[in-house]
Amino acid sequence: MTRRLFFVVGLWLVLIPIAHSQTFMTTQQVIKQIHNQSLQRLMPLFVAARVDYPPERITFLASKDSNRLELWADDGSGYRFVHRYLILHASGEAGPKLREGDRQVPEGIYRLTHLNPNSAFHLSIRIDYPNSFDRERAAEEGRHRPGSNIFIHGKADSVGCLAMGDQVIEDLFVLVERVGLENSQIMIAPHDPRIRPLLPSAEHLPEWTQILYHQLEQGFSQFQYQ
């Protein structure tokens, strides 16, 4: 009995520093820490774009070939271009994500579903891949593991996600939290279809890629520079 007591007490003493070595924060705690500095960077962008802050809704347009992420915002008077961010890293090539581990950044129109204040990549915003379109195509082709856990996040490295750097992800994190996840979306395309059409020319791409690219062309066409 005494030996068991010593073991339990010893294990408890070992686990105390482990439990306290990781500090988990809530979204609101993180927002409180980073809000003011992020707002100092965001406000000039919205003033220059003549968009009220916070806007009613936002859309991100990501082009994989140019590593650019555009921010568009609507304050009730229609979407306006606000800013263009550099994507520091995005693995893979042109074409949709098909399976877990293929290193592909997804292509499609996605909602933003979750803010992660305790990301290993500083902060992150989850994309709802696979969405209904992705799941339906996977089911048709018998692909049981299309992948998941796709994020916009900080740092400069990524596999299948969009790495934006720590300062930029702080600004996007604050913005999405203020606007609301339900009012935020992202469109990801192999290149900007406003510049040239999306043609699924690669032989290895599924036939349904043409449908996907038509959806993206229609989606991007709603966002025109003034």
Side-chain angles (χ1 to χ4, degrees), residues 87-103:
I87 300 171
L88 298 185
H89 192 263
S91 62
E93 56 187 6
K97 183 174 182 64
L98 299 177
R99 58 186 56 84
E100 184 176 339
D102 64 6
R103 304 178 66 88

Side-chain angles (χ1 to χ4, degrees), residues 79-193:
Y79 270 107
R80 287 179 178 269
F81 171 74
V82 177
H83 193 61
R84 184 179 294 106
Y85 295 97
L86 174 66
I87 300 171
L88 298 185
H89 192 263
S91 62
E93 56 187 6
K97 183 174 182 64
L98 299 177
R99 58 186 56 84
E100 184 176 339
D102 64 6
R103 304 178 66 88
Q104 283 290 96
V105 173
E107 295 176 357
I109 301 174
Y110 299 100
R111 295 180 301 110
L112 304 182
T113 62
H114 180 69
L115 295 169
N116 181 6
N118 299 295
S119 171
F121 296 88
H122 188 50
L123 300 170
S124 62
I125 306 169
R126 188 171 185 171
I127 298 170
D128 76 327
Y129 174 88
N131 61 17
S132 58
F133 182 88
D134 299 315
R135 292 193 298 271
E136 289 170 5
R137 303 292 83 72
E140 290 171 357
E141 298 172 357
R143 289 183 284 109
H144 303 295
R145 300 179 66 183
S148 60
N149 294 323
I150 304 298
F151 294 87
I152 308 168
H153 61 64
K155 305 303 180 187
D157 294 311
S158 179
V159 177
C161 301
L162 303 178
M164 305 301 302
D166 290 355
Q167 181 172 286
V168 171
I169 195 59
E170 288 182 3
D171 296 352
L172 302 186
F173 196 91
V174 167
L175 177 60
V176 171
E177 191 277 336
R178 189 67 191 274
V179 174
L181 289 164
E182 68 278 9
N183 300 313
S184 306
Q185 67 173 346
I186 184 170
M187 302 184 187
I188 308 174
H191 61 262
D192 190 337

Side-chain angles (χ1 to χ4, degrees), residues 21-130:
S21 65
Q22 285 187 312
T23 303
F24 292 96
M25 302 183 70
T26 66
T27 295
Q28 290 306 315
Q29 287 173 328
V30 168
I31 292 294
K32 185 176 181 179
Q33 285 187 352
I34 67 177
H35 178 267
N36 290 344
Q37 288 190 337
S38 288
L39 196 61
Q40 290 177 8
R41 294 187 290 266
L42 287 168
M43 282 305 299
L45 304 179
F46 279 83
V47 170
R50 299 180 181 179
V51 178
D52 292 339
Y53 184 91
E56 294 182 4
R57 53 181 181 158
I58 57 174
T59 293
F60 297 108
L61 302 181
S63 300
K64 291 162 72 170
D65 71 333
S66 62
N67 283 333
R68 294 294 186 273
L69 181 74
E70 293 184 2
L71 167 61
W72 292 73
D74 178 10
D75 60 6
S77 57
Y79 270 107
R80 287 179 178 269
F81 171 74
V82 177
H83 193 61
R84 184 179 294 106
Y85 295 97
L86 174 66
I87 300 171
L88 298 185
H89 192 263
S91 62
E93 56 187 6
K97 183 174 182 64
L98 299 177
R99 58 186 56 84
E100 184 176 339
D102 64 6
R103 304 178 66 88
Q104 283 290 96
V105 173
E107 295 176 357
I109 301 174
Y110 299 100
R111 295 180 301 110
L112 304 182
T113 62
H114 180 69
L115 295 169
N116 181 6
N118 299 295
S119 171
F121 296 88
H122 188 50
L123 300 170
S124 62
I125 306 169
R126 188 171 185 171
I127 298 170
D128 76 327
Y129 174 88

